[in-house]
Amino acid sequence: MSPPCQPFSTTREAKQRDLQDKRCAALEHLTKMLPKLERPPRWIALENVKGFHGSDACGKWRAALRSAGFRDREIILDLISFGTPNHRTRYYLLAERETKNLQSLPPPCVRPNKEHLPPGVLISGPWAANRRHSLDEAHASARARPHQKENIFRTERRNFLQHLQVACRLPQSCTEDNLTLAGTSKWKLLPLPRARSDALLLCFEEPQVLDTNGDLQQLLQLGQTVEGTTWTVQSNMSPCRPVGDFLEQLQEEEIAELSLSAEMLSRPYAPGLSYVGRKDVRSFCFTGHYGKVMHKSSGSLLYLADEPVDRSALPKSVGLVRFFSPKEILNFLGFPESYKLPRDMELKHRYKVVGNSIAVSVASELLRLLLRGEGAERIKALEEMPHRSSHHGATDPNAG
C-alpha cells in the first residue's frame, strides 16, 4: 500500500491536512473495512513519506491492524543507505498475521534519530567547534547571496586550511590557486552532523581518497596533532555507486528536451539549485514535481562537465546542464532494466509517476523480511528511528 502522500508531505505545495484532506478518504475506508474482513490478508506492507509517522491517519490504520489481529513494525529507511547515490527517506509499516517473521527484527533502540552521514572524515572537538561555527555562517551567507555561493565556500575552504596550518605549526602554503588537501583539490566541508555543533565533515569528490590513500593517512596523522581534536573516517555500510552508473545513453532529441536553456539558467533561483556530476555519490530526492517546480527539494540536476559548476556564470553552462530522464530516475529507484514507460506518455506525466513511485531496491528487502523472515540484521543496521517528522531541509551535496 502507498496512500497519497500529499496530506503528510513537507513540500511547499502540501498543506499537511492529515485526515482533513480528501485524499485520505480511501485509506479511511480501508481502515473501517479491514476488521470486518472474513479472510484478511496474511501480510500488509505500507509505504509513505516520513511525515506519515505520528499522523492521525497512521494511528487509525495501526489501530485497525491490531483490531484485525495483525502485529506491525514501523521502519524508516533512506535509499542512499542501500548504495544508491540518492536521498529518499521513507516510512514503512510492515504487518503480519499468522506468521512471526517480524520477530527476527529486534525492536528499535531508544536513542536519538540516527543521521546518515556521507563518506568522509568527521572532525570533532574544541578546534572543530570554531570551524563549524564559521562553516554555519558561510552557509547562511550562501543562502542569502546564492550568486556568490562558490566564492563564499572557496573562501571557507581556504580559511580552513590556514587555520589547520596554524594549529599544526606548519608554514602557510595555501593560496588562492592552491587549496590541496590529502593530495586533491576536490574536497568540501559540510555542517554535519546537524545535532553536533562541535563537529564538521570533510568530504572528497573522489571516493577512492578514503581507501588506502597515503596522503589521507598523512592528513589524519597531522590532524591528531591538533589539541583536543579527533579525526575519524566515516564510510557507508553500502558504499554508494556514482551517479554515472545510473545514466542512460540518450538520443539527441531526448538531450535537447531535457537540457536547461540559457534563460532558465539566468533565473534568480538557478544558483540555488542542486547540480551533481557523474562522479558524485549524493543527490536530492526526486519528487512528482521534478521538471516543473524548479527547486532543489524537487530533485537534482545533472552537470556534465568535469570541472566544478560556476554558479556565478550559469548561462555559460548551456548544453552542460540537463534534467535526469524518467528512466534514469527509475534506475535510481531500483527498477529492472526491462521496465519501460509508455512512449506516448508526456514527459511531465512520466516525471509525476516516477517521482511518486517507491524505491524498489528498499521495498524488495523489506518484503523478504516480511514474507520470509530474511535480512533482519541488515535492515536493523540501516533503519532510522521513527520520530515525529519535522522538516530540517537537506544539505546541498554541492555545498561547502
Side-chain angles (χ1 to χ4, degrees):
M1 300 172 58
S2 192
C5 66
Q6 292 87 347
F8 321 102
S9 176
T10 57
T11 59
R12 293 190 295 178
E13 293 77 18
K15 305 297 184 182
Q16 292 182 287
R17 298 180 62 219
D18 205 332
L19 288 174
Q20 301 303 313
D21 194 308
K22 62 182 181 181
R23 286 168 288 198
C24 281
L27 180 61
E28 273 209 278
H29 176 70
L30 291 176
T31 297
K32 296 174 183 177
M33 294 302 298
L34 181 63
K36 299 178 182 179
L37 295 179
E38 293 182 2
R39 291 185 298 170
R42 297 175 66 187
W43 302 285
I44 299 178
L46 179 145
E47 177 265 5
N48 213 297
V49 293
K50 203 172 179 181
F52 184 77
H53 173 73
S55 66
D56 293 338
C58 180
K60 279 195 170 185
W61 178 244
R62 296 190 70 194
L65 287 170
R66 290 191 292 271
S67 179
F70 285 87
R71 292 176 297 274
D72 66 28
R73 174 66 185 270
E74 297 178 296
I75 304 173
I76 290 179
L77 294 168
D78 189 345
L79 175 61
I80 201 169
S81 299
F82 290 74
T84 300
N86 183 247
H87 280 293
R88 194 178 186 86
T89 303
R90 291 294 182 266
Y91 168 89
Y92 300 90
L93 181 65
L94 306 182
E96 64 182 348
R97 188 181 60 85
E98 298 179 5
T99 57
K100 296 182 179 181
N101 293 332
L102 293 180
Q103 291 185 3
S104 61
L105 185 63
C109 301
V110 179
R111 62 174 187 247
N113 184 52
K114 182 176 68 175
E115 180 179 357
H116 174 88
L117 295 180
V121 178
L122 181 65
I123 309 172
S124 59
W127 181 84
N130 292 328
R131 297 295 88 230
R132 172 61 178 266
H133 178 71
S134 176
L135 183 58
D136 286 335
E137 289 186 335
H139 274 261
S141 298
R143 287 191 294 270
R145 295 174 289 163
H147 288 286
Q148 301 179 31
K149 191 172 186 177
E150 287 297 320
N151 290 334
I152 290 172
F153 288 136
R154 184 174 183 82
T155 298
E156 186 63 23
R157 286 193 289 270
R158 184 173 65 250
N159 291 342
F160 175 84
L161 282 180
Q162 291 174 345
H163 280 88
L164 179 62
Q165 290 165 354
V166 170
C168 297
R169 297 181 174 83
L170 297 175
Q172 295 285 326
S173 61
C174 73
T175 64
E176 186 66 32
D177 298 322
N178 180 22
L179 297 180
T180 303
L181 190 63
T184 178
S185 60
K186 297 180 179 180
W187 57 276
K188 56 192 174 186
L189 301 169
L190 296 178
L192 298 173
R194 292 189 182 94
R196 294 188 60 180
S197 60
D198 66 336
L200 70 160
L201 195 65
L202 168 63
C203 295
F204 299 94
E205 183 177 318
E206 299 156 339
Q208 61 269 25
V209 172
L210 297 176
D211 302 326
T212 62
N213 182 295
D215 291 322
L216 177 64
Q217 295 304 317
Q218 291 181 14
L219 173 62
L220 294 176
Q221 293 175 6
L222 182 65
Q224 300 300 342
T225 66
V226 180
E227 186 176 356
T229 300
T230 301
W231 297 56
T232 308
V233 175
Q234 299 284 127
S235 61
N236 291 324
M237 295 189 64
S238 297
C240 277
R241 295 162 56 193
V243 166
D245 286 1
F246 298 82
L247 302 181
E248 295 284 315
Q249 189 68 37
L250 303 180
Q251 301 296 324
E252 289 186 12
E253 58 270 20
E254 293 178 294
I255 295 176
E257 184 179 30
L258 298 176
S259 295
L260 273 69
S261 65
E263 179 185 2
M264 191 172 290
L265 291 172
S266 300
R267 296 289 177 83
Y269 56 71
L273 300 177
S274 169
Y275 301 89
V276 298
R278 294 184 180 92
K279 295 181 180 179
D280 283 325
V281 292
R282 299 177 73 214
S283 59
F284 276 94
C285 176
F286 297 100
T287 73
H289 291 290
Y290 187 66
K292 177 182 177 182
V293 176
M294 299 301 295
H295 192 273
K296 63 185 180 183
S297 64
S298 299
S300 297
L301 299 170
L302 179 62
Y303 181 66
L304 297 168
D306 292 329
E307 65 274 7
V309 61
D310 184 356
R311 295 172 186 267
S312 64
L314 283 172
K316 295 181 180 179
S317 298
V318 172
L320 297 175
V321 181
R322 69 168 175 84
F323 292 103
F324 285 88
S325 73
K327 184 64 172 73
E328 289 167 342
I329 297 176
L330 290 176
N331 294 343
F332 279 123
L333 297 179
F335 279 75
E337 178 63 30
S338 59
Y339 190 90
K340 307 292 182 183
L341 293 171
R343 293 184 178 181
D344 58 350
M345 182 183 288
E346 289 187 46
L347 180 62
K348 64 180 181 181
H349 293 149
R350 280 181 279 157
Y351 277 138
K352 188 170 184 178
V353 296
V354 301
N356 287 326
S357 184
I358 64 170
V360 173
S361 50
V362 180
S364 60
E365 294 209 29
L366 289 174
L367 290 177
R368 289 191 187 97
L369 171 65
L370 180 62
L371 305 184
R372 301 177 181 174
E374 299 174 355
E377 291 185 5
R378 174 170 163 80
I379 296 298
K380 175 61 181 174
L382 299 179
E383 76 170 324
E384 300 178 11
M385 280 289 292
H387 66 293
R388 183 73 185 187
S389 180
S390 60
H391 184 55
H392 298 290
T395 299
D396 191 338
N398 303 294

